[in-house]
Amino acid sequence: MTTAAAPTDLLYSEAEEELRSAVRALLTDRCDAKSVLDRAETGSPHDPALWHTLAAGIGAAGLLVPEKLGGQGASHREAAVVLEELGRAVAPVPYLTSAVLATEILLGCDTAEAASLLRELASGSTVCVPAVPLTLAPGVPLPAPVRDLGDGILTGTVTSVADAVAADVLLVLADTGLHAVPASAARLTPRVPLDLTRPLATVTLEAAAGTRLADLGTARAAVAGALLSGAGLLASEQLGLAEWCLTETVGHVRSRHQFNRPVGSFQALKHRLARLWLDVASARAAARAAADALATSAPDAPLTVAVAQAYCSGVAVRAAEECVQLHGGIGMTWEHPAHLYLKRAKADSLALGSAGHHRGLVADFAELPAP
């Protein structure tokens, strides 16, 4: 007899709402739009004090880490809630790269060295970033641009590594397996990113010594699993971003008057905002379904994640574009935060696979004929 699959739970639990309240209160107090923009203009967007409070004070860095390794023993659902709030604030913290991607990779290694590093990640004392391109997507062959010259001495170059400048440790996929390399042993060349709140860098290793964490087969499987989880949870960041854009735009058109009436009372704008509200509501369902599928290790998790990314990516971009346009003149200024959200949405639409790539995965998983 075939056992029926557990129903997908799209609702937020009480614990998840409490976590949301704690993260939102922190970001409201320490990560307002002006402070984010000010830090981005300096070329050093990361706020170490904010990250320490989020990671260690609230314990968000260890949500996916088991309790026996010093983590919270939570699931992807709780991590998705954190990412929603980080998306609402375009917070310049390495949560997606360290607390999600790096953590998932280390969990897939199952070695004493990986466990030791997971303890440091969960405590918030170490930022660990995978040395893979931000655009690397689930379902594609994994590159191995780094060579092991022997005894863990690594040489090679990886481009477009997100948050590398904030990392203490880099997880490097070489031709012999996965290695942990101190960031100080690598040469980091910052690149000019579209999204100023998530810096990119080229990582160059020149005979850098690394600690081997897993063999090549295990490492590739761990990285592939991390990319899947990262893509699924990125949908929650895109959801939070879209929600902020919708809320701020509705507030603006209610208060902005033209011809002695709120501009939001004009029928054309009502229709645009109603369509956007429906898009955001649908994005919430898709993002929550992906988080729940990952949390429960559902057999159809790859399909659910692909659907979430294929949909939420476009919704975030449309919401940010509408935010800029419906704010009129002020939406086009550098001082208004709308451009931060538009740039994050555009950058996220390429991160961990484009919408087109994920639509292709949906077609493959659902055995649909290609056009």
Side-chain angles (χ1 to χ4, degrees):
M1 179 180 295
T2 302
T3 303
T8 301
D9 184 5
L10 302 184
L11 300 179
Y12 297 98
S13 68
E14 183 179 347
E16 289 166 358
E17 291 293 1
E18 291 176 355
L19 175 61
R20 181 194 305 282
S21 297
V23 175
R24 184 174 296 188
L26 171 65
L27 296 176
T28 299
D29 183 50
R30 305 265 292 277
C31 192
D32 60 282
K34 184 179 184 305
S35 64
V36 172
L37 186 56
D38 288 346
R39 293 191 69 88
E41 288 180 321
T42 67
S44 300
H46 286 121
D47 185 345
L50 173 64
W51 171 249
H52 179 74
T53 304
L54 176 69
I58 294 179
L63 285 176
L64 298 179
V65 180
E67 291 184 59
K68 65 180 182 180
L69 296 178
Q72 308 303 319
S75 73
H76 298 82
R77 291 173 59 95
E78 289 78 13
V81 170
V82 174
L83 279 165
E84 281 183 38
E85 294 307 310
L86 296 178
R88 287 177 62 92
V90 286
V93 293
Y95 191 84
L96 179 67
T97 48
S98 183
V100 176
L101 292 175
T103 297
E104 289 279 13
I105 291 173
L106 292 172
L107 287 172
C109 292
D110 195 23
T111 60
E113 294 81 3
S116 176
L117 194 49
L118 277 170
R119 291 183 182 277
E120 297 178 21
L121 287 182
S123 69
S125 62
T126 297
V127 174
C128 190
V129 170
V132 298
L134 181 61
T135 54
L136 188 60
V140 302
L142 298 179
V146 176
R147 292 187 300 116
D148 187 346
L149 303 180
D151 297 326
I153 304 301
L154 308 177
T155 296
T157 300
V158 185
T159 61
S160 302
V161 178
D163 296 325
V165 295
D168 301 303
V169 177
L170 298 170
L171 296 182
V172 179
L173 181 62
D175 55 3
T176 57
L178 186 72
H179 300 259
V181 179
S184 58
R187 176 159 54 87
L188 305 180
T189 305
R191 299 303 182 191
V192 180
L194 174 62
D195 177 12
L196 299 177
T197 64
R198 183 170 280 156
L200 304 176
T202 296
V203 175
T204 302
L205 302 173
E206 298 171 339
T211 301
R212 192 164 183 265
L213 301 176
D215 60 47
L216 185 58
T218 301
R220 287 186 175 276
V223 172
L227 293 175
L228 178 67
S229 295
L233 294 183
L234 179 62
S236 292
E237 178 179 293
Q238 292 164 328
L239 168 63
L241 186 156
E243 279 196 314
W244 184 93
C245 291
L246 175 61
T247 301
E248 290 298 310
T249 304
V250 169
H252 176 74
V253 299
R254 280 178 171 174
S255 60
R256 172 67 173 162
H257 283 66
Q258 191 73 35
F259 304 113
N260 203 33
R261 58 187 289 193
V263 297
S265 65
F266 292 102
Q267 196 74 4
L269 296 191
K270 286 183 178 180
H271 287 171
R272 288 172 67 171
L273 290 171
R275 168 65 187 277
L276 185 57
W277 184 89
L278 289 172
D279 288 345
V280 172
S282 299
R284 176 177 295 282
R288 291 298 294 167
D292 186 71
L294 291 169
T296 58
S297 300
D300 63 347
L303 173 60
T304 309
V305 167
V307 170
Q309 260 308 301
Y311 188 77
C312 294
S313 178
V315 170
V317 172
R318 287 197 298 275
E321 289 174 342
E322 291 285 62
C323 182
V324 171
Q325 293 175 14
L326 297 186
H327 272 81
I330 65 171
M332 302 297 294
T333 62
W334 184 264
E335 290 76 13
H336 195 277
H339 70 95
L340 292 174
Y341 289 83
L342 178 58
K343 292 169 183 174
R344 172 66 71 90
K346 287 287 190 179
D348 278 358
S349 70
L350 299 176
L352 300 173
S354 65
H357 170 78
H358 287 283
R359 282 193 289 269
L361 291 180
V362 171
D364 292 340
F365 293 139
E367 299 181 354
L368 297 174

